Structure formats: structure tokens, C-alpha cells
Amino acid sequence: MEVDKQYKKRIVVKVGTNVMVNKDNRIVVPILKKLVDQIARLYEEDVITVLISSGSVIAGKEVLNSNTISDRTVRRQVYSAVGQPRMMRHYYSIFHDYGMRCAQVLATKRDFDLGRHRDNMINCYEGLLSQGIIPIANEDDAVSLSMSMFTDNDELASLVAELIHADTLILLTDTDGIYDGHPDHDDSSVIRTVSTEQEVEQFVQSSNKKEGEGRGGMESKISVAKKTAAKDITTYIANGKRENVIMDIVHGKNVGTRIYKED
């Protein structure tokens, strides 16, 4: 593994819970393998990735589905604490198969405030990236409560993208992008480009989430995408289950919805 390699691009990829689970709400390891395969191929093209990965709560729930914790917040903390090492074991093993290294970076929202914590975060990310190590970031759910919580992992991904001066942020979900109607309707289609000034929120459909699923939704993704694009980081919302979705976006193919800043 090369050290202090110069990369053409830095990208941040956020993969949501709904991308990596099956209909029984269990982690599908082959999906993680496909994501890592793309990250590994991009690395060979001098593009390095920071991965923002959901899934820890679901991974914890898989082994603690029967428990006696009545408090929903504490239950989520425990699921996450158990699930984090399970997710990292998956990622470590898959990256190892490609001769690559990965590292876990947990954070709360306060870690991004100006000051020593933010400086430490920058030093950590820069150190990892300089050694060709793929950071895998997630919210520190075990200690992140109330004011120190992110709205969701989309917000965390945006903050990380800004922190490392990423070229691109890719938000992977289970739909093909932002639709101009209900995604299940035949007369609806994906809006391929959205400017930071364009109003598309009226197309968002509400959904009911089960416990253990991600906190974010399409409305959150649009808000985060616009804020990120306004900082000159082109942002995409795309289907994480689509073959080669990350590669296609980086290579400029017309995939998902691109959110950009108007000149």
C-alpha cells in the first residue's frame, strides 16, 4: 500500500440502512462487497473514498432482537454499541480481501464545532487518507444524545465532505434519485439535475420507518444535498443497489440526481 499518495479526487459516499438490508431487515453482506469493490477500483484510479456507513443499529438488533430494554433511546444505544463492531468486522474482512485497510471514525455533532475537537478530526482524517486507509465514519450513537446528535447520517456525510474538502458527496439510498412524483407511479421520472435554488421538496413522499431503520428520508437528503452543493461540493442522490453506481457517478454518467450550485 502506497504512503502519502497524491489523489486526483476525494469523494464521500454515504450508504443508508435501506441500501444494505433485505426484506427481513437483515444486513446483506454481498451488497457491502459490491460497494467496497467500487471503492477499491476507484482507489486504483487515484480516487480515495471516505465511507459513511449506516447499519450498526440493524446489525445490533440482529443479535439482540429479544431484549428487556423498554427505553427506546437506551435500546438504540445498545443496538448500536453491539452492531458497530459487527459492521466493522464485515468491512475489515472485505477490504482485506482487496489488500486495503480501513479504520473506524466515530463522532458526535460537537466534534465538528470550531476548536480542538474539529482540529483533531481533521488531523485524523488527513493521517488516514495520507496512508491510503479508508475511513469508515458513523455517529457515536452510544454517547450521542440530544444536542450532540446529527439529524441523520446524511448530515454527518455533509460535514465530513466539508471537513476533508471533498470533490463529491454521494448519498446512496434505495431509490434512483429525486422523482417528479411518487416513485411507484408510471408517469413519474427521476429529475436528473437540481440546482441549489430549485424547489423540488413538493415532490417528496412521506414514509413510516420501523425501529432500527435510518432516521433520514428524502426531504433530509435534499436539504443536506443543497447545503453541501452550496459549498462547491457537487452532490448526488442515487440508488445504492444499482450496479456500479459509485463508479458511474465518478465517471460522469447520467446516474441519480445531481445537485449543483448555480454560478
Side-chain angles (χ1 to χ4, degrees):
M1 185 69 66
E2 296 182 44
V3 176
D4 293 322
K5 185 176 180 179
Q6 296 300 310
Y7 300 98
K8 295 175 184 176
K9 286 185 178 180
R10 291 180 171 189
I11 67 171
V12 174
V13 175
K14 181 262 179 174
V15 53
T17 301
N18 289 338
V19 173
M20 59 178 67
V21 299
N22 59 19
K23 62 181 181 180
D24 297 319
N25 232 23
R26 297 183 69 85
I27 301 294
V28 181
V29 176
I31 291 177
L32 303 184
K33 290 182 178 179
K34 289 182 178 181
L35 294 170
V36 172
D37 177 75
Q38 294 175 77
I39 293 171
R41 283 187 283 155
L42 285 172
Y43 182 84
E44 294 301 316
E45 298 179 14
D46 297 334
V47 177
I48 196 162
T49 304
V50 174
L51 180 62
I52 314 296
S53 177
S54 302
S56 62
V57 174
I58 290 291
K61 193 174 181 182
E62 286 179 1
V63 295
L64 291 176
N65 200 27
S66 298
N67 65 80
T68 59
I69 303 172
S70 59
D71 185 280
R72 183 183 178 91
T73 300
V74 175
R75 190 164 61 241
R76 182 182 179 86
Q77 287 177 294
V78 171
Y79 283 153
S80 179
V82 172
Q84 283 288 356
R86 295 192 72 220
M87 290 300 298
M88 284 307 299
R89 186 168 65 247
H90 288 317
Y91 282 123
Y92 181 89
S93 176
I94 300 168
F95 274 109
H96 184 267
D97 289 342
Y98 285 90
M100 298 181 69
R101 297 169 294 180
C102 64
Q104 185 178 50
V105 182
L106 298 178
T108 68
K109 195 169 184 177
R110 289 175 179 169
D111 293 321
F112 290 88
D113 293 340
L114 291 177
R116 182 177 298 175
H117 284 282
R118 181 182 176 86
D119 292 342
N120 287 338
M121 289 279 287
I122 292 172
N123 291 338
C124 178
Y125 276 105
E126 292 299 331
L128 292 169
L129 296 175
S130 74
Q131 302 303 299
I133 300 170
I134 304 300
I136 301 176
N138 200 358
E139 181 171 16
D140 193 353
D141 288 313
V143 299
S144 183
L145 296 171
S146 62
M147 294 300 291
S148 64
M149 289 180 69
F150 299 101
T151 305
D152 48 45
N153 268 353
D154 298 322
E155 183 183 21
L156 170 59
S158 176
L159 291 170
V160 170
E162 182 184 4
L163 189 79
I164 68 166
H165 303 289
D167 300 280
T168 304
L169 169 63
I170 301 173
L171 302 175
L172 296 180
T173 183
D174 58 351
T175 62
D176 291 329
I178 303 172
Y179 281 79
D180 59 6
H182 195 288
D184 293 335
H185 294 170
D186 292 337
D187 58 350
S188 298
S189 58
V190 176
I191 306 172
R192 292 301 179 187
T193 59
V194 172
S195 78
T196 52
E197 305 302 321
Q198 187 175 347
E199 294 293 332
V200 292
E201 286 77 5
Q202 70 268 26
F203 299 124
V204 174
Q205 306 294 319
S206 62
S207 63
N208 296 319
K209 291 181 176 292
K210 300 176 184 177
E211 184 181 12
E213 293 182 346
R215 296 197 299 270
M218 185 56 72
E219 186 173 6
S220 168
K221 285 175 176 56
I222 294 172
S223 175
V224 165
K226 286 185 174 182
K227 289 177 182 177
T228 310
K231 297 170 184 174
D232 292 316
I233 303 171
T234 302
T235 302
Y236 292 82
I237 299 173
N239 193 332
K241 294 185 178 181
R242 183 185 186 277
E243 289 292 325
N244 291 317
V245 61
I246 304 171
M247 298 285 294
D248 287 348
I249 288 173
V250 173
H251 291 158
K253 295 186 178 180
N254 195 20
V255 176
T257 300
R258 178 173 67 90
I259 298 90
Y260 66 96
K261 178 182 178 181
E262 288 188 342
D263 294 331

mmCIF file of all heavy atoms in Angstrom, residues 10 17 24 50 61 70 79 83 98 101 111 141 154 158 209 225 242 246-247 255:
data_model
loop_
_atom_site.group_PDB
_atom_site.id
_atom_site.type_symbol
_atom_site.label_atom_id
_atom_site.label_comp_id
_atom_site.label_asym_id
_atom_site.label_seq_id
_atom_site.Cartn_x
_atom_site.Cartn_y
_atom_site.Cartn_z
ATOM 1 N N ARG A 10 -11.122 13.356 -3.975
ATOM 2 C CA ARG A 10 -11.612 12.823 -2.711
ATOM 3 C C ARG A 10 -13.123 12.804 -2.795
ATOM 4 O O ARG A 10 -13.741 13.817 -3.123
ATOM 5 C CB ARG A 10 -11.183 13.698 -1.534
ATOM 6 C CG ARG A 10 -9.691 13.680 -1.227
ATOM 7 C CD ARG A 10 -9.409 14.589 -0.043
ATOM 8 N NE ARG A 10 -8.028 14.444 0.410
ATOM 9 C CZ ARG A 10 -7.554 14.981 1.533
ATOM 10 N NH1 ARG A 10 -8.374 15.695 2.323
ATOM 11 N NH2 ARG A 10 -6.306 14.801 1.874
ATOM 12 N N THR A 17 -29.153 2.699 5.508
ATOM 13 C CA THR A 17 -29.569 1.390 6.009
ATOM 14 C C THR A 17 -30.390 0.622 4.978
ATOM 15 O O THR A 17 -30.198 -0.583 4.777
ATOM 16 C CB THR A 17 -30.385 1.555 7.304
ATOM 17 O OG1 THR A 17 -29.603 2.227 8.286
ATOM 18 C CG2 THR A 17 -30.805 0.196 7.858
ATOM 19 N N ASP A 24 -36.231 -8.778 5.137
ATOM 20 C CA ASP A 24 -36.344 -9.179 6.538
ATOM 21 C C ASP A 24 -35.568 -8.260 7.472
ATOM 22 O O ASP A 24 -35.406 -8.547 8.656
ATOM 23 C CB ASP A 24 -35.845 -10.618 6.717
ATOM 24 C CG ASP A 24 -36.685 -11.619 5.941
ATOM 25 O OD1 ASP A 24 -37.918 -11.465 5.933
ATOM 26 O OD2 ASP A 24 -36.100 -12.535 5.325
ATOM 27 N N VAL A 50 -14.056 8.332 1.475
ATOM 28 C CA VAL A 50 -14.460 8.217 2.872
ATOM 29 C C VAL A 50 -15.872 7.653 2.858
ATOM 30 O O VAL A 50 -16.758 8.167 2.178
ATOM 31 C CB VAL A 50 -14.440 9.572 3.600
ATOM 32 C CG1 VAL A 50 -15.008 9.423 5.023
ATOM 33 C CG2 VAL A 50 -13.033 10.135 3.656
ATOM 34 N N LYS A 61 -29.415 -5.204 16.295
ATOM 35 C CA LYS A 61 -30.743 -5.777 16.503
ATOM 36 C C LYS A 61 -30.799 -7.234 16.056
ATOM 37 O O LYS A 61 -31.576 -8.034 16.590
ATOM 38 C CB LYS A 61 -31.776 -4.950 15.738
ATOM 39 C CG LYS A 61 -33.219 -5.257 16.110
ATOM 40 C CD LYS A 61 -34.173 -4.302 15.408
ATOM 41 C CE LYS A 61 -35.615 -4.600 15.805
ATOM 42 N NZ LYS A 61 -36.573 -3.712 15.112
ATOM 43 N N SER A 70 -36.801 -1.285 27.858
ATOM 44 C CA SER A 70 -38.052 -0.620 27.484
ATOM 45 C C SER A 70 -37.835 0.773 26.925
ATOM 46 O O SER A 70 -38.610 1.239 26.084
ATOM 47 C CB SER A 70 -38.984 -0.532 28.706
ATOM 48 O OG SER A 70 -38.355 0.187 29.760
ATOM 49 N N TYR A 79 -28.199 -1.334 20.799
ATOM 50 C CA TYR A 79 -28.127 -1.932 19.461
ATOM 51 C C TYR A 79 -26.883 -1.441 18.724
ATOM 52 O O TYR A 79 -26.148 -2.216 18.107
ATOM 53 C CB TYR A 79 -29.358 -1.552 18.640
ATOM 54 C CG TYR A 79 -30.623 -2.305 18.972
ATOM 55 C CD1 TYR A 79 -31.868 -1.719 18.737
ATOM 56 C CD2 TYR A 79 -30.597 -3.592 19.486
ATOM 57 C CE1 TYR A 79 -33.052 -2.384 19.007
ATOM 58 C CE2 TYR A 79 -31.773 -4.272 19.773
ATOM 59 C CZ TYR A 79 -32.994 -3.662 19.536
ATOM 60 O OH TYR A 79 -34.156 -4.333 19.814
ATOM 61 N N GLY A 83 -23.749 -3.439 17.456
ATOM 62 C CA GLY A 83 -23.679 -3.549 15.999
ATOM 63 C C GLY A 83 -22.439 -2.950 15.367
ATOM 64 O O GLY A 83 -21.998 -3.412 14.305
ATOM 65 N N TYR A 98 -9.110 -7.115 -0.635
ATOM 66 C CA TYR A 98 -8.583 -6.281 -1.715
ATOM 67 C C TYR A 98 -7.193 -5.731 -1.391
ATOM 68 O O TYR A 98 -6.661 -4.898 -2.127
ATOM 69 C CB TYR A 98 -9.534 -5.107 -1.989
ATOM 70 C CG TYR A 98 -10.786 -5.517 -2.733
ATOM 71 C CD1 TYR A 98 -11.929 -5.904 -2.037
ATOM 72 C CD2 TYR A 98 -10.824 -5.524 -4.122
ATOM 73 C CE1 TYR A 98 -13.081 -6.285 -2.710
ATOM 74 C CE2 TYR A 98 -11.968 -5.894 -4.804
ATOM 75 C CZ TYR A 98 -13.088 -6.276 -4.098
ATOM 76 O OH TYR A 98 -14.226 -6.656 -4.769
ATOM 77 N N ARG A 101 -6.776 -1.306 3.650
ATOM 78 C CA ARG A 101 -7.025 -1.134 5.073
ATOM 79 C C ARG A 101 -8.146 -0.121 5.286
ATOM 80 O O ARG A 101 -8.311 0.815 4.494
ATOM 81 C CB ARG A 101 -5.757 -0.651 5.780
ATOM 82 C CG ARG A 101 -4.605 -1.641 5.722
ATOM 83 C CD ARG A 101 -3.309 -1.023 6.199
ATOM 84 N NE ARG A 101 -2.864 0.036 5.304
ATOM 85 C CZ ARG A 101 -1.751 0.754 5.497
ATOM 86 N NH1 ARG A 101 -1.006 0.523 6.558
ATOM 87 N NH2 ARG A 101 -1.404 1.692 4.631
ATOM 88 N N ASP A 111 -18.117 17.361 17.734
ATOM 89 C CA ASP A 111 -16.752 17.196 17.252
ATOM 90 C C ASP A 111 -16.454 18.059 16.035
ATOM 91 O O ASP A 111 -15.286 18.258 15.683
ATOM 92 C CB ASP A 111 -16.484 15.723 16.906
ATOM 93 C CG ASP A 111 -16.489 14.830 18.135
ATOM 94 O OD1 ASP A 111 -15.979 15.273 19.185
ATOM 95 O OD2 ASP A 111 -17.009 13.705 18.053
ATOM 96 N N ASP A 141 -23.413 6.621 18.369
ATOM 97 C CA ASP A 141 -24.758 6.526 18.944
ATOM 98 C C ASP A 141 -24.752 6.220 20.433
ATOM 99 O O ASP A 141 -25.689 6.563 21.145
ATOM 100 C CB ASP A 141 -25.559 5.433 18.227
ATOM 101 C CG ASP A 141 -25.962 5.834 16.820
ATOM 102 O OD1 ASP A 141 -26.458 6.945 16.648
ATOM 103 O OD2 ASP A 141 -25.749 5.032 15.892
ATOM 104 N N ASP A 154 -26.866 11.552 6.783
ATOM 105 C CA ASP A 154 -26.688 12.468 5.654
ATOM 106 C C ASP A 154 -25.983 13.737 6.121
ATOM 107 O O ASP A 154 -25.082 14.250 5.447
ATOM 108 C CB ASP A 154 -28.037 12.821 5.032
ATOM 109 C CG ASP A 154 -28.760 11.612 4.463
ATOM 110 O OD1 ASP A 154 -28.080 10.736 3.896
ATOM 111 O OD2 ASP A 154 -29.998 11.539 4.594
ATOM 112 N N SER A 158 -22.254 15.173 5.023
ATOM 113 C CA SER A 158 -22.024 16.536 4.533
ATOM 114 C C SER A 158 -20.912 17.226 5.315
ATOM 115 O O SER A 158 -20.030 17.876 4.737
ATOM 116 C CB SER A 158 -23.317 17.346 4.644
ATOM 117 O OG SER A 158 -23.104 18.685 4.257
ATOM 118 N N LYS A 209 -41.111 4.804 9.135
ATOM 119 C CA LYS A 209 -39.940 3.953 9.323
ATOM 120 C C LYS A 209 -40.131 3.054 10.533
ATOM 121 O O LYS A 209 -40.717 3.442 11.529
ATOM 122 C CB LYS A 209 -38.687 4.817 9.516
ATOM 123 C CG LYS A 209 -38.265 5.567 8.261
ATOM 124 C CD LYS A 209 -37.012 6.379 8.519
ATOM 125 C CE LYS A 209 -36.543 7.043 7.241
ATOM 126 N NZ LYS A 209 -36.056 6.060 6.265
ATOM 127 N N ALA A 225 -28.182 17.901 0.633
ATOM 128 C CA ALA A 225 -27.543 17.996 -0.678
ATOM 129 C C ALA A 225 -27.404 19.452 -1.126
ATOM 130 O O ALA A 225 -26.369 19.854 -1.663
ATOM 131 C CB ALA A 225 -28.340 17.200 -1.708
ATOM 132 N N ARG A 242 -27.964 -0.143 -7.314
ATOM 133 C CA ARG A 242 -27.682 -0.157 -8.750
ATOM 134 C C ARG A 242 -26.244 -0.595 -8.990
ATOM 135 O O ARG A 242 -25.329 -0.148 -8.306
ATOM 136 C CB ARG A 242 -27.905 1.239 -9.334
ATOM 137 C CG ARG A 242 -27.718 1.349 -10.832
ATOM 138 C CD ARG A 242 -27.844 2.802 -11.255
ATOM 139 N NE ARG A 242 -27.812 2.962 -12.699
ATOM 140 C CZ ARG A 242 -26.717 3.024 -13.421
ATOM 141 N NH1 ARG A 242 -25.527 2.915 -12.832
ATOM 142 N NH2 ARG A 242 -26.773 3.192 -14.733
ATOM 143 N N ILE A 246 -21.455 3.969 -7.884
ATOM 144 C CA ILE A 246 -20.412 4.923 -7.483
ATOM 145 C C ILE A 246 -19.458 5.171 -8.644
ATOM 146 O O ILE A 246 -19.119 6.329 -8.952
ATOM 147 C CB ILE A 246 -19.638 4.408 -6.253
ATOM 148 C CG1 ILE A 246 -20.586 4.109 -5.091
ATOM 149 C CG2 ILE A 246 -18.585 5.419 -5.826
ATOM 150 C CD1 ILE A 246 -19.925 3.402 -3.916
ATOM 151 N N MET A 247 -19.023 4.098 -9.299
ATOM 152 C CA MET A 247 -18.124 4.221 -10.447
ATOM 153 C C MET A 247 -18.753 5.084 -11.538
ATOM 154 O O MET A 247 -18.101 5.975 -12.102
ATOM 155 C CB MET A 247 -17.808 2.837 -11.015
ATOM 156 C CG MET A 247 -17.095 1.892 -10.088
ATOM 157 S SD MET A 247 -15.350 2.290 -9.883
ATOM 158 C CE MET A 247 -14.725 1.980 -11.529
ATOM 159 N N VAL A 255 -26.443 9.358 -13.839
ATOM 160 C CA VAL A 255 -26.984 8.448 -12.829
ATOM 161 C C VAL A 255 -27.527 9.257 -11.652
ATOM 162 O O VAL A 255 -26.863 10.195 -11.195
ATOM 163 C CB VAL A 255 -25.891 7.467 -12.332
ATOM 164 C CG1 VAL A 255 -26.427 6.590 -11.226
ATOM 165 C CG2 VAL A 255 -25.387 6.612 -13.488
#
